[in-house]
Amino acid sequence: MIKLHDVSRIFSVGGQEVRAMDHVSLDVGRGEYLSIMGPSGSGKSTLLNIIGLLDTPNSGTYLLEGRDVTSLSDLQLADVRSRKIGFIFQFFHLIPRLTALQNIELPLLLAGVAKKERTSRSSRLIEEFGLSGRQHHRPDELSGGQRQRVAIARAVINQPAVLLADEPTGNLDRTSGAEIIDLLEQLNTGGQTLVVVTHDPEIGERAGRCIRVVDGRIAGDTRKD
Ligand SMILES: Nc1ncnc2c1ncn2[C@@H]1O[C@H](COP(=O)(O)OP(=O)(O)O)[C@@H](O)[C@H]1O
Ligand SMILES: [Mg+2]
């Protein structure tokens, strides 16, 4: 599903080079549930952004479902991303002026799906994700946990093969955080490949496979039996 080979990402900041990813190779199979842990600044978000096609490596290769995506144009990347990848962020990244329903159906609008179909698919997710009665609320009228559920619904409405979450519980209290992880795990049980970056060891250890990142390298890769 995801095959990174010898991938590096170097940022230049004020003439200084930062090796955010240093010769990383990683294979993730279809349907896997993977967590990424490591100290702050170790390169977890960089790794996730590269997997999610939000960033491109300076060197190395990346095969997504067997297709080399390292040399695609920005337009091609955006197209693959919109069909294959669902991204969830710590700070939700919802559009403030749109309602929950409008946020959720946005990817369908961009994909040119007709209104009737958009509404029926987003309404189904509203119900499934426990957001009934909140569909016409704007993000600032929702709790953190509800906002994240809207963000997850938006991420999965195109039924992407891969679901990537960067500290999805980092801005939530324990109870809402646990609900969000439960929801992501349900989606993984339904077949979606799930990669979660987290600071919280309790969350990290729930995954079937834990990757530890230190200084832009993979320092550990353990699987549960
Ligand atoms: N856009 C960027 N420009 C410059 N440096 C960056 C950028 N993104 C990340 N970095 C640097 O790369 C390293 C890894 O960052 P990041 O992947 O965000 O770490 P983490 O998510 O593990 O906290 C850090 O040293 C960070 O400062
Ligand atoms: Mg990060």
Side-chain angles (χ1 to χ4, degrees), residues 44-46 166-167 197:
K44 304 180 299 293
S45 293
T46 303
D166 196 350
E167 312 262 10
V197 168

Side-chain angles (χ1 to χ4, degrees), residues 53-110:
L53 306 175
L54 292 174
D55 192 11
T56 43
N58 296 83
S59 61
T61 53
Y62 176 14
L63 302 183
L64 177 62
E65 290 185 320
R67 179 183 188 192
D68 187 348
V69 289
T70 2
S71 52
L72 298 182
S73 70
D74 284 351
L75 208 63
Q76 288 171 315
L77 282 175
D79 175 58
V80 177
R81 194 167 56 232
S82 68
R83 286 184 294 109
K84 305 280 181 197
I85 311 274
F87 223 112
I88 297 141
F89 304 91
Q90 178 175 0
F91 295 104
F92 324 123
H93 292 202
L94 296 173
I95 301 195
R97 282 182 305 142
L98 299 184
T99 65
L101 196 75
Q102 289 167 334
N103 267 286
I104 294 170
E105 61 179 28
L106 196 58
L108 298 178
L109 188 73
L110 298 175

